[in-house]
Amino acid sequence: MKDPVELLDELKARIDPERVPGHVAIIMDGNGRWAKQHGEHRIVGHANGVRSVREALTGAREIGVKHLTLYAFSTENWNRPESEVNALMDLLVKTVVDELAELHANSVRLKAIGDLESLPDTCRDTLKDASRRTAGNDRITLTLALSYSARWELTEMARRIAVKAKAGELDPASIDESTVSANLCTAGTPDPELLIRTSGELRISNFLLWQIAYAELWFTPVLWPDFRKEHLFNAVLDYQSRERRFGKTSEQIVPR
Ligand code: FPP
């Protein structure tokens, strides 16, 4: 019987390096259910999810993904019990502080998107500091979506464009798709080509609605704390087996 390391290497070797998605986005879900299954408090599920973040990041980096965006805390998550919200914010700060040197050593650039002003001061300051320190890294960009929802982002975008138009900096007639993209939190980042959601839920839950217009979707029943590199590699292999037509016919994509 082959050992797990060998099996993982074989899986990785099957990935075509020429067709690795440049941007992978993940809806990390199932921490609470994982904790329940293990007879633990929900926060233990979140704490165990940190290892999965590490696996997803190192796996993505190894195969050449340039952008990894993780949905870490949605606008709607503020409605959770205060104790869980506080524990999640503390976990986030601790993780970023603990991992910063390692991220830097591996040329990872850290970014945060969302309504960052609504985060507790320590959380916002830690993220700002980590983003500033890693700004020169270019192997992979890890973007954490925090206090984020796509409807919030799209509303902000509309407001920004309206302000510029009112100030005479922008002609409304010139507004096109690129204007919209340039006024989102993800401005300058290519759209995700692959969106992964764990825990068996088949929803997008207000994540990157504009940006995933043409993303391939990959769902797995695996709960986030159990997510490992092998799951990421399987998602990428599945992505590579799909024909991305962008509205064209199959014959236009692969002339027969
Ligand atoms: C969803 O599971 C998970 C979250 C809302 C939080 C994700 C946070 C982490 C993995 C912690 C560390 C993150 C970083 C980026 C360092 P859920 O609680 O909705 O699970 P459930 O649907 O089973 O209840």
Side-chain angles (χ1 to χ4, degrees):
M1 212 172 84
K2 287 188 180 157
D3 77 283
V5 178
E6 227 178 310
L7 283 171
L8 191 64
D9 283 346
E10 278 182 18
L11 198 60
K12 192 161 83 171
R14 284 171 43 209
I15 295 172
D16 176 355
E18 301 296 319
R19 291 186 303 126
V20 169
H23 185 173
V24 176
I26 307 183
I27 302 175
M28 308 182 286
D29 196 13
N31 294 355
R33 276 160 285 167
W34 186 95
K36 201 168 181 184
Q37 282 176 10
H38 289 77
E40 299 281 1
H41 189 273
R42 294 178 58 82
I43 191 63
V44 178
H46 298 314
N48 278 272
V50 174
R51 169 162 180 203
S52 308
V53 170
R54 220 176 279 125
E55 290 263 336
L57 177 62
T58 51
R61 184 178 162 280
E62 281 171 23
I63 60 172
V65 171
K66 297 303 288 180
H67 296 271
L68 177 68
T69 300
L70 303 178
Y71 204 5
F73 193 85
S74 73
T75 308
E76 291 76 20
N77 286 153
W78 288 115
N79 297 321
R80 291 191 174 195
E82 200 183 336
S83 57
E84 182 175 343
V85 170
N86 291 341
L88 260 171
M89 294 297 154
D90 290 348
L91 179 64
L92 192 87
V93 170
K94 183 179 169 356
T95 305
V96 172
V97 169
D98 289 354
E99 305 280 335
L100 189 59
E102 182 80 6
L103 292 176
H104 203 40
N106 286 289
S107 191
V108 179
R109 178 174 188 179
L110 186 78
K111 279 191 184 176
I113 57 168
D115 184 9
L116 305 183
E117 292 309 309
S118 68
L119 297 174
D121 292 351
T122 43
C123 190
R124 192 180 50 250
D125 294 347
T126 304
L127 288 165
K128 272 192 184 159
D129 182 56
S131 304
R132 191 180 47 78
R133 284 174 192 244
T134 60
N137 296 342
D138 61 3
R139 177 94 186 251
I140 184 169
T141 299
L142 171 65
T143 301
L144 303 180
L146 287 159
S147 193
Y148 172 90
S149 77
R151 287 187 174 185
W152 166 84
E153 177 186 40
L154 291 166
T155 308
E156 284 300 305
M157 172 275 296
R159 201 192 320 273
R160 272 186 221 164
I161 291 179
V163 167
K164 287 178 195 169
K166 193 173 174 204
E169 294 165 19
L170 187 75
D171 175 6
S174 73
I175 295 172
D176 58 13
E177 289 191 8
S178 69
T179 322
V180 172
S181 295
N183 285 280
L184 296 174
C185 317
T186 51
T189 303
D191 289 341
E193 289 161 310
L194 173 63
L195 173 72
I196 295 172
R197 180 171 190 150
T198 59
S199 92
E201 305 291 356
L202 308 179
R203 288 190 291 276
I204 302 299
S205 297
N206 218 345
F207 191 42
L208 302 175
L209 294 180
W210 173 272
Q211 298 88 335
I212 60 163
Y214 282 102
E216 294 295 326
L217 311 182
W218 194 81
F219 297 101
T220 173
V222 169
L223 302 177
W224 180 250
D226 291 327
F227 190 88
R228 297 289 174 266
K229 279 182 198 176
E230 72 183 83
H231 302 112
L232 176 75
F233 295 166
N234 274 318
V236 170
L237 281 166
D238 193 359
Y239 163 87
Q240 292 189 335
S241 75
R242 300 187 194 179
E243 183 180 69
R244 305 188 73 209
R245 291 196 290 277
F246 301 98
K248 294 183 178 173
T249 67
S250 191
E251 287 69 24
Q252 285 175 295
I253 305 297
V254 188
R256 289 163 219 269

